C-alpha cells in the first residue's frame, strides 16, 4: 500500500527547493506518494494545512542567521496537534556544526504538539549570501547534495533516528543571533533595498516576495519592514535592478542562479591534494566523508 508524505518547505533562492524536489522524487520510487507544499502559500491562505492524511511529515528550510526562518516558525505554530513522525531537512552554505542548532526550537515546537521528530539533517549547498565559492566547488556541492539526499531517503524509509548535536549554551547563543538577524538585521537590510533605473516594473519581486514585503506605490517599488533577508528578490530580478543602499557586501556580485550551476559540467575534485584553494581546504572534510 502506498503511503503518503507531505514535505512543507520554504526556499529563498532555490537551494532548499532543489533538495525537496530530489527527495520527493527519490521517495516516490520507494512506496511513498509525496506532496511538496510551499509554506509561504499556506501562510498566505492559498493552501490548507492538512496532516491527518499523511503517514510522514517533512519540514525543509534554509538556515538563516544560524536559525530557522521566522516564516517557518509561524507555520509551525499554526500546525494542529498530531501524533505523526516528522523529519527536518535544512540547507546551508556551510557544513559546520554551528548550523546544527538551527532547528532546535522548531523541534521543540513540534514535540510540544505531539509530533515525533525522529530525523534532523543538514545538507550543504552553494552559498548565496556574503561568500562566493567558485563554479567548480559549487557544482561539486550540488553533486554531493544529490548523494546525500539519496542516503537521507534510505534512512527515512528505514525509520532511522538522527539528532544533530548542539549543546544548551551554543543553542541559546545561536538562537539569540537568529532573533537579532530576524528582528533587526533582516529588517534593516530590507529597509535599504532599492530598485534602480533598470527596473522595468514587471512585478516579479512583488509577486514572489515570501513575506509580502514589496509593493508598488505611486509608480515606485517600495520595500517595507518585513524582509526575511532571503535574497530572492535580488537574485530573481530579470533586470538585476535591486541592490542595497548600504549593505551590498552581502549580495554576490555575479548574482546567484542555481540552475546555472546545475548546468555546469561536473568535474570530480581531488580533495586529498596538498595544494588546494581556501574553500577547497575548508570543505575537504565534508567531501572526504560524503
Amino acid at each position: 500500500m502506498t503511503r503518503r508524505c507531505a514535505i512543507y518547505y520554504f526556499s529563498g533562492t532555490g537551494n532548499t527547493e532543489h533538495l525537496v524536489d530530489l527527495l520527493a522524487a527519490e521517495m516516490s520510487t520507494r512506496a511513498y506518494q509525496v506532496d511538496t507544499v510551499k509554506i509561504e502559500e499556506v501562510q498566505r491562505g492559498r493552501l490548507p494545512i492538512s496532516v491527518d492524511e499523511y503517514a510522514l511529515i517533512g519540514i525543509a528550510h534554509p538556515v538563516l542567521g544560524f536559525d530557522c526562518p521566522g516564516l517557518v516558525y509561524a507555520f509551525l505554530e499554526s500546525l494542529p496537534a498530531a501524533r505523526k513522525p516528522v523529519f527536518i531537512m535544512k540547507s546551508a552554505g556551510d557544513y559546520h556544526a554551528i548550523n546544527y542548532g538551527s532547528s532546535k526550537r522548531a523541534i521543540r515546537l513540534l514535540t510540544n504538539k505531539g509530533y515525533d521528530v525522529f530525523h534532523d539533517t543538514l545538507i550543504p549547498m552553494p552559498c548565496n549570501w556574503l561568500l562566493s565559492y567558485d563554479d567548480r566547488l559549487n557544482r561539486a556541492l550540488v553533486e554531493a547534495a544529490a548523494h546525500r539526499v539519496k542516503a537521507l531517503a534510505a534512512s527515512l524509509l528505514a525509520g532511522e533516528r538522527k539528532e544533530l548535536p548542539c549543546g544548551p549554551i551554543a543553542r541559546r547563543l545561536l538562537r539569540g543571533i537568529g532573533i537579532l538577524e530576524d528582528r533587526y538585521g533582516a529588517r534593516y537590510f530590507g529597509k535599504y533595498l532599492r530598485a534602480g533605473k533598470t527596473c522595468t516594473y514587471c512585478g516579479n519581486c512583488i509577486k514572489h516576495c515570501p513575506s509580502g514585503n514589496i509593493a508598488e506605490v505611486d509608480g515606485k517599488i517600495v520595500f517595507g519592514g518585513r524582509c526575511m533577508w532571503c535574497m530572492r528578490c535580488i537574485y530573481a530580478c530579470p533586470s538585476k535592478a535591486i541592490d542595497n543602499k548600504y549593505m551590498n557586501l552581502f549580495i554576490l556580485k555575479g548574482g546567484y542562479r542555481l540552475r546555472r550551476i546545475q548546468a555546469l559540467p561536473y568535474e570530480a575534485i581531488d580533495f586529498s591534494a596538498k595544494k588546494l584553494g581556501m574553500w577547497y581546504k575548508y570543505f575537504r572534510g565534508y567531501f572526504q566523508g560524503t
Side-chain angles (χ1 to χ4, degrees):
M1 180 179 179
T2 301
R3 294 173 290 176
R4 296 188 67 187
C5 169
I7 305 177
Y8 294 95
Y9 73 96
F10 167 69
S11 183
T13 58
N15 283 352
T16 304
E17 185 171 48
H18 173 66
L19 298 178
V20 167
D21 289 343
L22 289 176
L23 182 59
E26 189 67 26
M27 293 184 69
S28 294
T29 65
R30 306 187 186 205
Y32 264 102
Q33 176 186 331
V34 182
D35 295 330
T36 60
V37 184
K38 291 184 177 181
I39 287 175
E40 62 202 75
E41 295 298 298
V42 174
Q43 293 305 97
R44 289 171 177 170
R46 296 174 181 172
L47 294 173
I49 298 177
S50 178
V51 297
D52 292 339
E53 59 197 278
Y54 295 106
L56 179 64
I57 306 292
I59 305 295
H61 68 83
V63 177
L64 300 181
F66 308 114
D67 202 1
C68 183
L71 182 74
V72 178
Y73 280 133
F75 166 76
L76 295 178
E77 289 170 354
S78 68
L79 272 180
R83 296 190 177 278
K84 298 280 184 178
V86 174
F87 67 89
I88 291 179
M89 176 178 67
K90 47 188 172 284
S91 65
D94 188 350
Y95 77 104
H96 197 278
I98 197 171
N99 290 311
Y100 284 3
S102 58
S103 296
K104 294 302 182 184
R105 181 169 174 256
I107 292 172
R108 187 166 65 251
L109 285 171
L110 287 162
T111 301
N112 290 341
K113 288 176 178 279
Y115 295 92
D116 175 23
V117 184
F118 71 99
H119 203 100
D120 182 20
T121 195
L122 171 73
I123 300 180
M125 286 287 284
C127 189
N128 56 14
W129 184 85
L130 183 62
L131 302 174
S132 181
Y133 309 145
D134 67 33
D135 281 347
R136 188 184 181 201
L137 180 56
N138 281 333
R139 183 64 184 84
L141 284 167
V142 171
E143 187 74 13
H147 294 290
R148 289 281 174 127
V149 167
K150 285 187 177 181
L152 172 60
S155 294
L156 294 176
L157 292 171
E160 295 178 0
R161 305 190 74 88
K162 179 181 179 181
E163 179 182 358
L164 294 176
C166 184
I169 295 176
R171 188 164 62 245
R172 291 188 180 93
L173 176 62
L174 295 174
R175 173 59 184 149
I177 294 173
I179 291 173
L180 290 174
E181 189 274 341
D182 183 53
R183 295 183 182 177
Y184 301 100
R187 295 181 185 183
Y188 183 86
F189 182 81
K191 181 180 179 181
Y192 292 105
L193 285 172
R194 58 189 181 181
K197 295 180 180 179
T198 59
C199 177
T200 62
Y201 300 93
C202 67
N204 185 72
C205 58
I206 299 171
K207 180 180 179 181
H208 296 291
C209 176
S211 59
N213 187 55
I214 310 172
E216 185 175 350
V217 179
D218 296 330
K220 295 182 179 179
I221 300 297
V222 176
F223 299 85
R226 299 190 303 275
C227 180
M228 295 172 57
W229 214 338
C230 74
M231 313 296 278
R232 184 189 292 176
C233 63
I234 296 170
Y235 297 144
C237 177
S239 57
K240 299 182 180 180
I242 302 174
D243 68 356
N244 194 284
K245 186 176 181 180
Y246 299 115
M247 303 171 71
N248 279 331
L249 169 68
F250 295 97
I251 302 172
L252 303 189
K253 292 182 179 179
Y256 183 79
R257 296 286 189 279
L258 179 58
R259 289 184 180 179
R260 185 191 69 81
I261 295 171
Q262 290 175 276
L264 296 171
Y266 169 64
E267 180 183 354
I269 300 170
D270 180 10
F271 283 93
S272 65
K274 293 183 178 180
K275 292 184 178 181
L276 290 172
M278 179 181 69
W279 291 118
Y280 288 85
K281 289 180 180 178
Y282 179 79
F283 277 101
R284 175 185 278 153
Y286 169 68
F287 279 97
Q288 289 181 337
T290 299

